[in-house]
Amino acid sequence: AEDLDMWLQRAWRDPHNRLIHFVRDPIEMVASGYLFHRRGSEAEWTNVTHCSRDLCLLPETWGAERSKLTSAAAFRGMPAMPWLREYGCNKDSDTYYRCLNDVSVELGLRVEANRASSTLRTMLDVEVLAKGPRTFTLPLQGLERAPFNATVGHLVKMLAHSNGTALSGAAQHLLIQQAYSTCFSNTKVSLIRTHAAGGAGGEARTKLAHAALSRALSRWALDASPAVRELAARCSWCRNFSEPRLFSMAHRGLGFERGSRGVITCSAPSLFNSTTLMLSRLHKAGTFLKVEVWHVDELAPAEQEELRRNPGLGQGVTVHDLTTALSPTLLPDEVDALRGFMCKPLALLASRLDEVLLVDHDARFFVDPAMLFSSAVYARTGMLLFRDRLRLQIRGRPVKDASRFLRQLMRRRLGSSAFLSAAGMPPMPHPWAPSAALLAAPMATGESNHQIDSSVLLWSKAMLPKVTAALYILHERYRHEVYANLHGDKETYWLACELVGGFACGVSDYAAGEMGQLKRTGERECLVGNLLQFHPDNPQWIVHCNCKPQASWLYTHVALPVRFSDVLDNMSHAREAWRRNASRANASRPHGAHAYVTPRAAISVEPAHGHQRPSASALRLAFDSIGKKRAGRFVAPSMSPQFCDPSAIEPVEAMIARQPQNEKQVRTNSQALCLQYNLLCRPNKRNISGDPWRRPNKRRVARADDGDDELGRAATLAVGYGTFRGFDTNRGGRLARGSDVTSRTGLLAVDDPASAVSGGA
């Protein structure tokens, strides 16, 4: 958890300093820690309800400024239960000791592995970042009885050499004898060994419980968990050290058919209906590309056949099992872990397609996404990534911190040429320098735990051979670590590009938008709903949204496009305003773990060893406005995903009518447009009033009405085109009383809310 960059810099200030790095096999370390802590041997932190440095993490800036003793007060102010829940403890466990004794041995070992994961990664990072003649890596098995004398002899020679002195043979022999006696004859050490051998807790005092414990530990020693095995595979001192293999030898070459183009998506039994609906929406949006549906040995033969019979997008649908591309040595629990988020990037890598349109099952399109292949950013960079909404909240907090993890990856890439190396893969450039875009990214500066939205993206393998290889290496060597710290696969594509370096990573210039309802938040009315993305060449066009069917039939407004550079400028102004207010108030440091600000830049760049690297000190927090004064001090507000500026929001009807394929239909045949979006339209012959839009279902309207006297938004796509009577454009888009439309929906309220989503839902 410590800032290794800062810590090692201090250690190497004196040329006589030497580093003795004690290491141990991660699998053995977890088993030993489980027994030790289940016994309650460190009661000062295992038996208390607040945090400690062994259980929780402080913000990096705190760790850089505090010692072990001075940070104790900060830890005491943090409750332990949120951390215990994320480690896997029962909801009633309020201490770590109680947690380990309340669960089975198998689950307790996994809890200990989750708690120790940061320590284990730090142990591996020290080996890489501190490697050199001034560091002596000392595996714990080197201090067993047989190799003990030889290990201590090497240690003595190294330490003596650091001072330019040398011990005589007799003096060295005497020192080794004293060390041996201290380690193997000391009463305290013998007592600890006796307790460890005696089992864990009262349960293990019986022979039956002791036997069950032994069997569980034996199984753990053989299999462990996928995340711990991944760490052990990178551990050069481990007995079972071996380089991991994810794909089979036939697929590790990442071959593809140059010039081929198609759509890739992943599915599963629980997503089968969503997948078929998404393919239907793509077809209605006008996309005619071949489709590949990938799964991880999940879809039944009947489901696969139904997908193949699906007319798809005009060129048919093929179904692929990802397990056919995997290494035959991959264990079953490793295969299980690939189901879900990991399927998408691995399907991209395993496919023979060159140019890929990667699509999520819940994407709802307003334009043909195949148009994006002609976008300027894709033509220039070979990829197109859309941005996510900026927010600190992430599922898995406080243990999961994507922003902290990104900075750790940057330090590891700076410090090691082997970080992105793998057998059979092209070499990556080193030394590496972080790009200006990476240094300014809110995820790197600590202002957001989200950066990229991967519901729709474009990727060219022919234009990005090294980035494609880096994406594979991230998944082969670090997949469990990456997905334990990020929210799914979203940022992996962007990270692969940035960690290779030297490329423009094809991220859209526009910030993510929002489609939803206006809701009162404090003193403001804000737009709250689901994410949408703008076309990178013409932001007046909406490419897609991640609209949820259970809510999207109520959506009334969308956000207008905003350049991401403007968002960064606004955040910079907010930081400066916060600093000025905090300085004038002479505010004391807030106690919250997410409310501390340093007066330095977000991430500064300093020359070091001939290349650029980020400094150890950085701003870690986010602000969307100036701080508010509370209880005599200023508290920084967190980044909000809401859109609260009225001038940056418009009715959803105007947005839909502005899409390129709708302009002619709005002018000539609005009913055809209605049918295109799967709205229930009244036939023309029955439409005496000339209004092509069917009135909303009264039952659905009553459900949407919140009791306000306002009649709400018009349930029409023809606003501003004179086809809807009762719509008063001079009253801010509100309906006049007496109008025969009583829905608050931005889309027509239909019998099936899942189909009331624009874009052919």
Side-chain angles (χ1 to χ4, degrees):
E2 283 79 8
D3 188 334
L4 295 179
D5 222 24
M6 173 271 298
W7 191 85
L8 291 174
Q9 184 180 15
R10 293 179 181 177
W12 300 144
R13 285 175 184 170
D14 188 336
H16 298 294
N17 285 347
R18 296 295 182 267
L19 175 64
I20 312 302
H21 183 210
F22 288 89
V23 296
R24 191 176 186 181
D25 186 312
I27 297 176
E28 295 178 1
M29 196 168 173
V30 169
S32 175
Y34 168 74
L35 291 174
F36 195 63
H37 300 137
R38 188 171 185 257
R39 191 172 68 233
S41 297
E42 294 181 320
E44 64 274 12
W45 71 267
T46 59
N47 291 31
V48 296
T49 58
H50 59 73
C51 276
S52 71
R53 67 188 304 271
D54 298 283
L55 188 65
C56 312
L57 299 177
L58 286 177
E60 289 171 285
T61 46
W62 286 35
E65 295 186 353
R66 294 171 180 248
S67 67
K68 179 178 179 180
L69 294 177
T70 58
S71 63
F75 279 120
R76 284 195 295 270
M78 300 165 57
M81 289 192 70
W83 299 79
L84 297 176
R85 296 298 80 75
E86 293 302 325
Y87 291 147
C89 299
N90 292 339
K91 63 179 181 179
D92 297 328
S93 301
D94 58 351
T95 67
Y96 193 62
Y97 170 79
R98 183 173 298 174
C99 167
L100 295 184
N101 284 277
D102 284 347
V103 299
S104 65
V105 177
E106 291 78 5
L107 182 55
L109 286 165
R110 292 184 178 274
V111 168
E112 174 66 18
N114 292 336
R115 184 205 64 82
S117 61
S118 178
T119 301
L120 298 176
R121 290 199 307 269
T122 300
M123 179 176 65
L124 294 173
D125 290 347
V126 170
E127 182 198 20
V128 174
L129 298 178
K131 190 174 183 179
R134 299 170 63 181
T135 301
F136 182 62
T137 300
L138 179 53
L140 195 63
Q141 58 264 31
L143 296 178
E144 295 175 352
R145 289 180 182 270
F148 183 86
N149 288 353
T151 300
V152 175
H154 288 303
L155 183 59
V156 169
K157 290 180 181 179
M158 178 186 179
L159 295 178
H161 181 71
S162 67
N163 294 323
T165 59
L167 294 178
S168 64
Q172 181 174 325
H173 181 69
L174 178 61
L175 183 59
I176 293 174
Q177 281 186 327
Q178 291 174 342
Y180 188 94
S181 176
T182 300
C183 288
F184 296 106
S185 303
N186 185 279
T187 305
K188 182 178 180 180
V189 173
S190 299
L191 185 63
I192 293 175
R193 289 170 49 239
T194 301
H195 285 177
E203 175 188 342
R205 295 192 183 101
T206 66
K207 292 183 179 180
L208 183 62
H210 191 276
L213 179 62
S214 298
R215 287 194 299 270
L217 291 173
S218 298
R219 287 194 298 269
W220 173 263
L222 291 174
D223 297 332
S225 67
V228 178
R229 286 200 305 267
E230 179 180 87
L231 295 173
R234 306 204 316 258
C235 160
S236 62
W237 60 83
C238 295
R239 294 188 175 98
N240 298 321
F241 170 70
S242 62
E243 286 292 331
R245 291 291 183 269
L246 180 57
F247 280 4
S248 65
M249 293 305 298
H251 287 83
R252 285 188 92 246
L254 307 179
F256 58 90
E257 298 175 7
R258 185 176 292 271
S260 58
R261 179 181 289 181
V263 177
I264 289 179
T265 190
C266 281
S267 189
S270 61
L271 304 176
F272 182 78
N273 291 336
S274 299
T275 302
T276 56
L277 287 172
M278 182 272 294
L279 295 178
S280 174
R281 293 193 294 267
L282 265 178
H283 180 70
K284 291 179 180 180
T287 301
F288 293 93
L289 295 172
K290 64 177 66 174
V291 178
E292 294 184 358
V293 178
W294 288 75
H295 65 107
V296 189
D297 192 24
E298 295 172 277
L299 294 179
E303 293 172 320
Q304 297 182 42
E305 184 59 29
E306 184 175 345
L307 284 171
R308 294 188 184 98
R309 292 199 306 267
N310 189 303
L313 310 183
Q315 297 192 34
V317 176
T318 57
V319 182
H320 304 265
D321 187 350
L322 187 61
T323 59
T324 60
L326 301 178
S327 169
T329 61
L330 212 61
L331 296 176
D333 59 349
E334 292 279 5
V335 176
D336 290 342
L338 303 183
R339 298 186 174 105
F341 289 121
M342 292 190 206
C343 175
K344 285 172 54 186
L346 295 182
L348 184 153
L349 293 167
S351 172
R352 296 288 300 175
L353 292 174
D354 174 7
E355 297 184 83
V356 173
L357 172 63
L358 193 62
V359 180
D360 260 354
H361 66 92
D362 61 349
R364 299 173 181 271
F365 301 97
F366 294 89
V367 298
D368 177 5
M371 297 169 55
L372 297 172
F373 283 110
S374 302
S375 63
V377 63
Y378 177 77
R380 185 176 69 254
T381 65
M383 62 194 304
L384 173 59
L385 304 176
F386 292 101
R387 300 183 186 274
D388 203 351
R389 293 169 294 189
L390 302 181
R391 56 191 179 195
L392 283 170
Q393 179 58 37
I394 186 172
R395 188 180 304 165
R397 291 190 73 186
V399 175
K400 180 179 288 189
D401 188 337
S403 181
R404 178 198 293 267
F405 178 67
L406 172 58
R407 293 187 293 274
Q408 291 174 346
L409 288 183
M410 292 167 63
R411 286 194 287 266
R412 289 157 67 179
R413 180 71 171 99
L414 284 163
S416 171
S417 60
F419 175 72
L420 278 183
S421 65
M425 294 293 154
M428 300 299 169
H430 195 81
W432 169 82
S435 68
L438 177 58
L439 292 172
M443 191 171 178
T445 62
E447 294 168 299
S448 176
N449 276 314
H450 304 269
Q451 184 78 18
I452 300 296
D453 166 41
S454 65
S455 54
V456 173
L457 64 86
L458 271 64
W459 191 280
S460 171
K461 297 178 184 177
M463 295 180 67
L464 301 168
K466 287 192 175 182
V467 179
T468 303
L471 182 64
Y472 174 79
I473 294 171
L474 283 175
H475 284 83
E476 182 173 78
R477 300 191 66 189
Y478 309 106
R479 61 184 176 277
H480 298 295
E481 179 182 351
V482 168
Y483 284 80
N485 289 277
L486 301 180
H487 184 66
D489 63 301
K490 300 189 298 105
E491 283 79 25
T492 58
Y493 315 93
W494 173 66
L495 283 176
C497 179
E498 289 289 0
L499 292 175
V500 171
F503 295 92
C505 293
V507 184
S508 172
D509 290 336
Y510 292 91
E514 187 100 351
M515 174 185 287
Q517 292 178 287
L518 294 178
K519 294 186 178 181
R520 178 68 60 180
T521 303
E523 300 176 355
R524 300 179 296 179
E525 196 173 37
C526 300
L527 180 62
V528 181
N530 294 126
L531 175 145
L532 64 81
Q533 300 292 357
F534 305 97
H535 194 288
D537 291 343
N538 185 349
Q540 297 302 312
W541 298 347
I542 306 297
V543 177
H544 72 284
C545 75
N546 287 354
C547 300
K548 302 301 184 284
Q550 69 272 18
S552 57
W553 67 282
L554 291 172
Y555 290 170
T556 62
H557 291 77
V558 296
L560 294 172
V562 178
R563 286 191 175 273
F564 190 70
S565 57
D566 294 337
V567 174
L568 293 182
D569 289 342
N570 291 337
M571 293 166 63
S572 177
H573 295 329
R575 283 195 297 266
E576 292 302 322
W578 163 257
R579 291 192 185 99
R580 289 194 300 269
N581 285 334
S583 177
R584 285 196 298 266
N586 194 22
S588 61
R589 179 176 302 169
H591 295 294
H594 61 284
Y596 172 61
V597 187
T598 66
R600 293 179 283 274
I603 284 191
S604 59
V605 179
E606 302 171 349
H609 306 295
H611 63 280
Q612 304 285 73
R613 62 182 300 169
S615 66
S617 300
L619 179 68
R620 304 305 188 205
L621 295 189
F623 312 98
D624 60 354
S625 64
I626 62 173
K628 296 181 179 180
K629 192 173 182 180
R630 298 179 186 173
R633 65 170 184 247
F634 282 87
V635 178
S638 61
M639 177 63 66
S640 171
Q642 298 170 336
F643 296 77
C644 304
D645 183 0
S647 64
I649 299 172
E650 68 174 350
V652 68
E653 303 92 347
M655 176 276 295
I656 295 176
R658 195 172 58 247
Q659 302 312 300
Q661 72 274 22
N662 299 344
E663 295 174 356
K664 182 178 179 180
Q665 292 161 304
V666 168
R667 293 192 300 268
T668 61
N669 188 351
S670 53
Q671 185 171 4
L673 176 61
C674 178
L675 292 172
Q676 176 182 336
Y677 285 95
N678 280 354
L679 300 175
L680 296 181
C681 302
R682 180 177 299 182
N684 282 333
K685 62 182 180 180
R686 298 182 183 178
N687 190 357
I688 300 175
S689 67
D691 179 6
W693 308 100
R694 181 174 180 174
R695 298 180 186 180
N697 182 287
K698 292 184 181 299
R699 174 178 58 84
R700 200 55 55 77
V701 168
R703 180 175 158 194
D705 193 0
D706 61 5
D708 193 345
D709 290 335
E710 296 285 344
L711 291 176
R713 302 295 315 152
T716 178
L717 303 180
V719 57
Y721 291 88
T723 60
F724 193 97
R725 67 183 175 87
F727 189 86
D728 184 359
T729 57
N730 295 323
R731 296 183 58 191
R734 295 190 179 277
L735 289 177
R737 286 183 180 276
S739 170
D740 55 355
V741 175
T742 58
S743 173
R744 290 186 178 275
T745 64
L747 302 175
L748 196 62
V750 296
D751 291 337
D752 179 13
S755 66
V757 180
S758 301

